């Protein structure tokens, strides 16, 4: 069964840090690469970072050098360490499979996401 549960968001000042966690179902985690996505108010959902089953990582240009994606295979959990946060990073952050969201009964499946707000 599909499960994606994000946590760790919050309100931080510019320059601050947060670490997000994503608990994924075992079958999804072990078969597919995983990604972190984000959606700011009034904008489309964009890919932020990915990690493959072999732990190869990739990042959007906007976060390269500031964010780090990792995973714990034993816990079926994916993390996103976010440093040097900027107001433009404000968004709801989601985890999902990559290169596209998992489909359940004909519909893209997304968790509830976790809100990240960067503001003075």
């Amino acid at each position: 069964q599909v499960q994606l549960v994000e946590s760790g968001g919050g309100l931080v000042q510019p320059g601050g840090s947060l670490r997000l966690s994503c608990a994924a179902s075992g079958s999804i985690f072990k078969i597919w690469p995983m990604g972190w996505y984000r959606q700011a108010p009034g904008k489309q959902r964009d890919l932020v970072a990915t990690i493959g089953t072999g732990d190869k990582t990739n990042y959007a240009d906007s976060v390269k050098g500031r964010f780090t994606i990792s995973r714990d295979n034993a816990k079926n959990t994916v993390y996103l360490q976010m440093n040097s946060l900027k107001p433009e990073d404000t968004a709801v952050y989601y985890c999902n499979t990559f290169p596209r969201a998992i489909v359940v009964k004909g519909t893209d499946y997304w968790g509830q996401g976790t809100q990240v707000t960067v503001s003075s």
Side-chain angles (χ1 to χ4, degrees):
Q1 294 182 331
V2 174
Q3 180 174 277
L4 296 167
V5 182
E6 301 94 342
S7 62
L11 173 64
V12 297
Q13 295 183 346
S17 298
L18 285 173
R19 190 173 83 151
L20 308 183
S21 298
C22 170
S25 61
S27 60
I28 294 174
F29 188 87
K30 294 178 180 178
I31 296 173
W32 294 99
M34 298 294 293
W36 281 97
Y37 305 76
R38 68 185 181 187
Q39 186 170 28
K43 298 184 178 180
Q44 67 180 358
R45 182 156 31 211
D46 293 325
L47 184 66
V48 176
T50 63
I51 185 166
T53 56
D55 290 349
K56 182 178 180 180
T57 59
N58 287 285
Y59 300 91
D61 289 341
S62 59
V63 307
K64 189 176 298 182
R66 300 188 297 119
F67 291 9
T68 303
I69 187 171
S70 62
R71 68 182 184 184
D72 185 328
N73 294 329
K75 296 182 178 180
N76 292 333
T77 301
V78 185
Y79 304 95
L80 186 68
Q81 178 66 47
M82 305 185 295
N83 299 325
S84 302
L85 284 162
K86 305 175 181 179
E88 63 202 66
D89 296 318
T90 295
V92 178
Y93 284 70
Y94 304 87
C95 65
N96 217 313
T97 49
F98 175 81
R100 65 155 295 154
I102 194 74
V103 176
V104 178
K105 304 299 182 182
T107 303
D108 287 359
Y109 179 88
W110 296 90
Q112 81 284 354
T114 186
Q115 176 72 51
V116 173
T117 302
V118 185
S119 179
S120 299

